Amino acid sequence: MLLKENKDNTLIQLFRYTFVGGIAFIVDFSSLFIFTEFLHLYYLISAGIAFILGLITNYILSIVWVFNKRAFNSKSIEFGIFVLIGIIGLGLNILLIWVFTEQIHFHYLFSKIASTVFVYLWNFFARKYILFH
């Protein structure tokens, strides 16, 4: 049931979105690490690029597996709003990484983990109630 059926139940959607979010987080987190440590990009620039890669992963998996109802018939409008919600999430992500790293003095990777919790909740509920209700 959790993996194959009934996409209309919010708890099942949250479970699936958590799984999808985990995959997107792996894409995001590993990209952040690679861009910062191996390509020597500034960690906030790396965080932005990595977040976008995670966003694209999240969108594809969300429309295929998490949500079956759409608020918009146009996929381009739907993706645009998905991206807008993601851009707000990106702003929250970068702000929280900066606060945790520069103000609280966490390592940037720990800051990323802390920010992910907040951004995850924003993304799920905004997408659920704006796009896929």
Side-chain angles (χ1 to χ4, degrees):
M1 183 167 156
L2 290 173
L3 299 177
K4 291 189 177 191
E5 300 173 23
N6 195 356
K7 289 185 185 180
D8 292 334
N9 182 298
T10 299
L11 290 177
I12 291 173
Q13 289 173 337
L14 184 60
F15 171 81
R16 290 179 180 183
Y17 191 81
T18 300
F19 188 76
V20 165
I23 293 170
F25 176 77
I26 290 168
V27 170
D28 184 342
F29 192 82
S30 60
S31 298
L32 170 64
F33 179 75
I34 291 166
F35 294 149
T36 303
E37 297 299 324
F38 294 106
L39 299 179
H40 306 291
L41 294 177
Y42 183 59
Y43 74 95
L44 291 178
I45 292 172
S46 295
I49 296 167
F51 191 87
I52 291 167
L53 293 175
L55 176 84
I56 292 168
T57 302
N58 192 300
Y59 177 74
I60 292 168
L61 294 175
S62 288
I63 63 171
V64 168
W65 191 54
V66 178
F67 302 109
N68 65 338
K69 292 185 178 176
R70 304 281 194 301
F72 301 95
N73 291 330
S74 169
K75 288 193 187 264
S76 52
I77 291 173
E78 177 184 86
F79 184 72
I81 294 171
F82 194 95
V83 168
L84 181 60
I85 291 168
I87 289 170
I88 293 169
L90 174 60
L92 289 170
N93 180 57
I94 290 175
L95 175 66
L96 291 170
I97 289 175
W98 177 81
V99 167
F100 290 133
T101 303
E102 300 296 331
Q103 304 301 313
I104 302 175
H105 306 292
F106 286 176
H107 186 273
Y108 75 92
L109 292 175
F110 290 118
S111 298
K112 174 62 179 176
I113 291 168
S115 76
T116 297
V117 173
F118 295 104
V119 175
Y120 160 80
L121 292 172
W122 155 256
N123 284 338
F124 175 76
F125 286 107
R127 289 173 177 150
K128 162 96 176 132
Y129 292 108
I130 294 171
L131 285 176
F132 305 114
H133 57 324

